[in-house]
Amino acid sequence: MKKYLLSEDDMPTQWYNILPDLPKPLLPPLHPVTHEPLTAADLQPLLPDEVIAQEFSPQRWIDIPDEVRDVYRIWRPSPLYRADRLEKALDTPAKIYFKYEAVSPAGSHKPNTAVPQVFYNARQGVRRVTTETGAGQWGSALSFAGSLFGVEVTVYMVKASFQQKPHRRSLMETWGGEVFASPSTRTQAGRDILARDPESPGSLGIAISEAVEDALAHDDTKFALGSAMNHVVLHQTVIGLEAKRQMEMAGDYPDVVIGCVGGGSNYSGLTFPFLADTLTGARTGTRFVAAEPAACPTLTRGRYAYDYPDTAGLGPLLHMKTMGHGFMPPPIHAGGLRFHGDAPTLCLLHDEGFVEAVAYNQNEVFTEAVRFARAEGFVMAPESSHALRGAVAEALAAKEAGEARTILFGFSGHGHFDMGAFDSFLAGRLEDYEVPQEQVDASLAELPKIPARTV
């Protein structure tokens, strides 16, 4: 079969929470000022009560509200495809599958968490939510969700992507979102950055600072984060839960699961339901590979430490792999992967050896995206192309070894708003960026000084 389809009745009714199955407990998030363990009360100015409860929940399974599942039905369950035409192009004995999240109205996996976050805010009577966005996929998803539940949405979009992808802004505005290039003059955090660097291309860390500052300044406004935190990862597990059932339909199980990593939500959403089998001993031998950009190599070159999720240091300190909250990634086209840190759950699993990490340059991922488009027909986002590059590497390794291998990767979003990047690649103008070690060292030197902690 080419594609494996579940019915709406097969849609998951619960999200999977990996916290109870981790090999050891996470170190707690810390208050950004006191550096004491964060409490639910500390998050109430920023997040709705139900989201806060999910952030700290010890429960393995959390019910998906009927209202959320009703919206999910617009695009879920999403298809699982067998990339047999790519297999032939690579002349590999490997079997390649991909979970296709581009069927959502926003064109990516992001509505999986945007919808519940906005739903919980609406149910609590919140008038407006603020957020950051890199490539625009998260801002699009939140604007879409806001239009369904009558919640206003303000998006701070990283300036480099704001300029590269004007139609993403148009999409957000079509759904009623208001969009500002970040850094902006609307917030003190943005003004401070512009004072130091008027030509700043922006970063996700800066955009988060602006969105958090905006939310804290208004009693009727909350903040919605697109990645990294536990509740975001939780909502995304619908991807992997569906994929497990679809792999069963195919009579198969992956030897390796691969996803792209910026903050970790798409990657964790696909892999955590499979990692559950490894962590509980139900399965052995499956490898998990995280593919990130060489221009923002958080897992491969970052430090495992406490750091702020935003440039201004307004958000809670998270124990994670980080490049430093002041790190300014080069303006690569995979804007959704330009984040200095990663989800603490993913970072712990990487540090404990359950997850491998690889870093790729722009040109090699676009090379694979073009080959994939010419074999399978789909044009994928630059972010997803990192996962594809990892899948191709595994398929070619299987060919070299002359062995069968089952590969599953995440197709997290389409590239229909990224054709300017494809133009640059096809014309030979796409630039690869090597991050100098001096820049990494300088950024890491500015990490907050937090005494060693135990759980």
Side-chain angles (χ1 to χ4, degrees):
M1 292 180 64
K2 179 66 178 175
K3 59 183 179 293
Y4 298 87
L5 304 174
L6 299 173
S7 73
E8 290 181 14
D9 292 337
D10 295 321
M11 191 191 311
T13 59
Q14 294 177 308
W15 293 300
Y16 166 61
N17 181 14
I18 200 170
L19 292 182
D21 294 328
L22 290 175
K24 65 181 186 182
L26 289 173
L27 289 179
L30 305 179
H31 191 282
V33 177
T34 66
H35 295 177
E36 292 300 314
L38 200 70
T39 67
D42 294 328
L43 287 174
Q44 284 179 337
L46 281 177
L47 304 176
D49 294 340
E50 189 62 34
V51 165
I52 295 171
Q54 291 175 359
E55 182 67 22
F56 295 104
S57 176
Q59 302 301 316
R60 184 175 284 108
W61 298 99
I62 295 177
D63 290 340
I64 304 174
D66 289 341
E67 296 90 337
V68 171
R69 293 184 77 245
D70 185 56
V71 176
Y72 276 178
R73 287 188 180 92
I74 297 174
W75 74 95
R76 304 218 70 87
S78 67
L80 179 80
Y81 284 88
R82 172 80 179 272
D84 57 318
R85 298 176 66 86
L86 178 63
E87 295 167 11
K88 293 174 183 175
L90 298 173
D91 189 27
T92 177
K95 290 182 287 185
I96 306 173
Y97 298 87
F98 61 95
K99 182 66 167 161
Y100 187 64
E101 289 296 295
V103 289
S104 78
S108 77
H109 67 292
K110 291 295 189 179
N112 296 332
T113 183
V115 169
Q117 287 195 55
V118 173
F119 166 72
Y120 291 128
N121 274 292
R123 191 160 69 176
Q124 196 167 310
V126 174
R127 179 185 68 85
R128 182 175 72 109
V129 295
T130 65
T131 198
E132 83 297 336
T133 196
Q137 291 182 340
W138 170 240
S140 300
L142 204 70
S143 298
F144 158 67
S147 72
L148 298 179
F149 293 109
V151 175
E152 296 178 19
V153 175
T154 299
V155 181
Y156 292 89
M157 185 175 185
V158 174
K159 185 175 291 182
S161 293
F162 185 92
Q163 295 167 344
Q164 291 168 348
K165 306 176 200 304
H167 294 113
R168 273 287 173 194
R169 173 185 54 78
S170 301
L171 185 63
M172 290 181 247
E173 292 175 345
T174 299
W175 277 314
E178 58 174 355
V179 189
F180 301 97
S182 173
S184 75
T185 58
R186 288 172 52 85
T187 67
Q188 189 61 50
R191 291 190 291 271
D192 289 346
I193 294 292
L194 291 172
R196 294 195 297 269
D197 180 9
E199 302 303 317
S200 171
S203 71
L204 279 166
I206 295 171
I208 293 171
S209 291
E210 293 207 84
V212 169
E213 181 182 327
D214 186 345
L216 290 174
H218 299 89
D219 291 339
D220 61 354
T221 301
K222 299 289 187 184
F223 170 67
L225 188 67
S227 192
M229 294 188 74
N230 295 339
H231 65 273
V232 183
V233 168
L234 170 79
H235 300 155
Q236 292 293 353
T237 58
V238 293
I239 304 172
L241 292 169
E242 288 179 4
K244 285 184 77 172
R245 297 192 67 172
Q246 289 162 318
M247 292 297 292
E248 291 173 5
M249 292 172 64
D252 222 335
Y253 194 92
D255 296 306
V256 57
V257 186
I258 306 169
C260 64
V261 174
S265 68
N266 149 75
Y267 181 84
S268 302
L270 174 66
T271 61
F272 279 8
F274 291 96
L275 263 161
D277 292 343
T278 297
L279 294 170
T280 60
R283 286 267 186 174
T284 60
T286 301
R287 294 169 47 235
F288 300 90
V289 179
E292 63 183 8
C296 193
T298 309
L299 291 174
T300 51
R301 293 176 64 186
R303 182 178 299 168
Y304 199 23
Y306 271 109
D307 197 11
Y308 300 103
D310 66 297
T311 303
L314 300 176
L317 288 153
L318 304 177
H319 193 241
M320 61 184 177
K321 292 288 179 77
T322 178
M323 298 293 289
H325 60 281
F327 179 72
M328 181 63 68
I332 57 172
H333 286 279
L337 305 187
R338 294 176 70 247
F339 185 51
H340 64 275
D342 285 323
T345 45
L346 168 58
C347 294
L348 184 148
L349 290 164
H350 176 258
D351 194 62
E352 291 291 309
F354 289 92
V355 173
E356 307 167 30
V358 292
Y360 297 120
N361 280 306
Q362 283 200 114
N363 277 286
E364 58 186 321
V365 303
F366 273 89
T367 295
E368 297 306 339
V370 169
R371 171 156 51 186
F372 186 85
R374 293 174 182 176
E376 295 290 340
F378 295 108
V379 177
M380 65 174 61
E383 292 83 359
S384 305
S385 303
H386 288 71
L388 169 64
R389 175 69 184 92
V392 169
E394 291 291 331
L396 293 177
K399 177 181 177 180
E400 181 70 20
E403 63 182 31
R405 190 173 300 181
T406 299
I407 301 164
L408 170 64
F409 77 92
F411 190 138
S412 57
H414 65 61
H416 300 170
F417 292 92
D418 301 288
M419 299 318 296
F422 281 92
D423 283 345
S424 296
F425 171 74
L426 294 169
R429 298 192 305 268
L430 201 63
E431 185 178 355
D432 285 335
Y433 299 93
E434 291 296 331
V435 180
Q437 189 59 43
E438 313 88 78
Q439 181 186 356
V440 177
D441 293 340
S443 181
L444 292 176
E446 299 301 317
L447 288 176
K449 304 299 187 287
I450 306 296
R453 302 187 68 95
T454 57
V455 177

